Amino acid sequence: MKKSVVLLSGGLDSTTCMSVAAKAGYEIYPLSFDYGQRHQRELEAAKAVAQFYQVKEHRIITLDNVGGSALTDPSIQVPDYAEDDQIPVTYVPARNLLFLSYALGYGEVIGAEAIFIGISSVDYSGYPDCRPEFLEAFQKVAEVGTKAGANGQRIEIKAPLLHLSKADTIRLAGSNGAPLHLTTSCYRGGERACGTCDSCILRLKGFAEAGVADPVPYIEN
């Protein structure tokens, strides 16, 4: 069976990616990261999603916290959603670059044909490492900087949500039977989602546009 590494945060997007990989017939090897994020609940969510899919192995990698983000520095407050063109303080420096690098190395070890990452350039917070040009550049790195690539064994970086709205992602998850009830998206990391941070607002907007009720609890309900 063909193998894939899935970057699994425990959120809506990465869980939808997991469902896409499963439906495509891949043997899934999810990879999650503890990078000092304040929303540690996502790691428990990732474990629950991995268990749902009965994966062979789920690795959680611990990375040193480089700070510089509201998600990793307790002195920086997570802001409420604001619609502007600025890169928000919830941006984590080089996060997807680090995650994909680990996934690429792991993929070489297990003989994976693909790496799935749940980035979107449509309904997102404006992070530079969620853009198509970043993905294209990393694919080139994967091809020229690995033994697999040098030997013509291309590991494809797949981002099936890249051009999907959040509503379309939710519809895709529903059609694939993805366990969105197990996911968490809130940046503040409380037992109930705050409903006001970037991630919560984008999630709620997506569910509203998809005409589906969000199965996770929020502070106001």
Side-chain angles (χ1 to χ4, degrees):
M1 180 183 288
K2 57 186 180 180
K3 299 177 180 178
S4 71
V5 179
V6 177
L7 290 174
L8 179 64
S9 70
L12 185 156
D13 294 338
S14 66
T15 299
T16 303
C17 268
M18 190 92 121
S19 74
V20 171
K23 188 172 183 179
Y26 285 95
E27 183 177 18
I28 303 168
Y29 288 79
L31 196 59
S32 304
F33 294 88
D34 181 345
Y35 56 97
Q37 64 268 48
R38 71 167 70 213
H39 50 310
Q40 286 279 308
R41 292 186 73 250
E42 70 174 7
L43 293 176
E44 294 306 313
K47 291 176 187 177
V49 171
Q51 185 175 16
F52 177 89
Y53 282 101
Q54 299 181 320
V55 300
K56 185 175 182 179
E57 182 179 25
H58 174 210
R59 290 195 177 188
I60 299 177
I61 307 297
T62 300
L63 299 177
D64 284 341
N65 175 8
V66 298
S69 167
L71 300 190
T72 58
D73 185 341
S75 71
I76 304 174
Q77 294 299 311
V78 173
D80 286 345
Y81 175 78
E83 198 165 337
D84 57 40
D85 295 328
Q86 301 299 312
I87 296 174
V89 294
T90 50
Y91 164 72
V92 179
R95 179 172 58 180
N96 284 340
L97 181 60
L98 289 169
F99 290 0
L100 281 171
S101 297
Y102 267 84
L104 184 59
Y106 184 38
E108 274 206 288
V109 170
I110 66 172
E113 296 180 15
I115 295 168
F116 284 80
I117 181 170
I119 59 176
S120 170
S121 60
V122 182
D123 286 333
Y124 78 124
S125 296
Y127 302 148
D129 53 0
C130 288
R131 298 175 299 168
E133 49 266 50
F134 166 74
L135 196 69
E136 292 165 7
F138 192 87
Q139 181 68 70
K140 183 63 175 178
V141 168
E143 292 168 8
V144 303
T146 61
K147 179 181 177 180
N151 289 340
Q153 299 165 339
R154 186 173 186 262
I155 300 176
E156 186 176 1
I157 314 300
K158 290 180 174 287
L161 315 182
L162 188 62
H163 301 294
L164 298 185
S165 68
K166 195 67 74 178
D168 286 336
T169 293
I170 290 163
R171 294 187 187 102
L172 176 61
S175 68
N176 288 349
L180 297 188
H181 63 288
L182 299 177
T183 65
T184 183
S185 300
C186 182
Y187 283 155
R188 293 190 168 106
E191 186 175 342
R192 288 176 173 264
C194 71
T196 58
C197 70
D198 270 17
S199 189
C200 280
I201 292 295
L202 291 172
R203 177 175 174 133
L204 286 167
K205 175 176 173 284
F207 272 99
E209 290 178 357
V212 180
D214 190 341
V216 305
Y218 287 80
I219 288 175
E220 67 272 17
N221 56 26

